[in-house]
Amino acid sequence: MNIIETLTARIEEYRLTNKQPCKNYATKEAAEKATAKAAEAAGKYFDSEGRAPRYVVFFIPAWGRWVGGLDYTELFRRSTANGGYIGAIAGFYVY
């Protein structure tokens, strides 16, 4: 499975009923900076050691915009995962 294609399809489908399905950015650099900051916050919230989850930054051609996605699957598999409110880090797609 190509995670970028899967996330792009999910985001585009969600956009049919929601004008702003996730945070998006004009440049890759802006998306990278925001997603890295969100990943750091997620690590502090969900991981007892504060380790950030993996994330991806990718371009949505239909919008001409960049978005980020956080890998919560990997984060929650860790033995150091605390659990918590899934929506704590709002506005970013998770997978």
Side-chain angles (χ1 to χ4, degrees):
M1 166 188 346
N2 181 323
I3 194 65
I4 302 301
E5 289 177 3
T6 301
L7 288 173
T8 299
R10 283 176 48 195
I11 290 167
E12 288 178 348
E13 181 179 334
Y14 188 47
R15 189 171 187 217
L16 296 175
T17 59
N18 184 334
K19 296 258 184 211
Q20 292 292 328
C22 59
K23 294 182 180 185
N24 57 84
Y25 303 89
T27 66
K28 182 178 181 179
E29 293 76 20
E32 175 71 34
K33 181 178 178 181
T35 307
K37 184 176 179 180
E40 182 179 330
K44 288 178 182 175
Y45 182 79
F46 291 116
D47 187 285
S48 64
E49 295 178 353
R51 292 183 300 130
R54 298 181 304 191
Y55 64 88
V56 293
V57 172
F58 55 101
F59 188 70
I60 305 283
W63 303 358
R65 305 283 289 180
W66 292 86
V67 299
L70 305 172
D71 185 354
Y72 276 11
T73 302
E74 179 272 330
L75 176 64
F76 293 145
R77 278 191 203 149
R78 297 177 185 170
S79 63
T80 55
N82 292 329
Y85 173 57
I86 299 290
I89 312 302
F92 290 84
Y93 247 79
V94 297
Y95 60 97

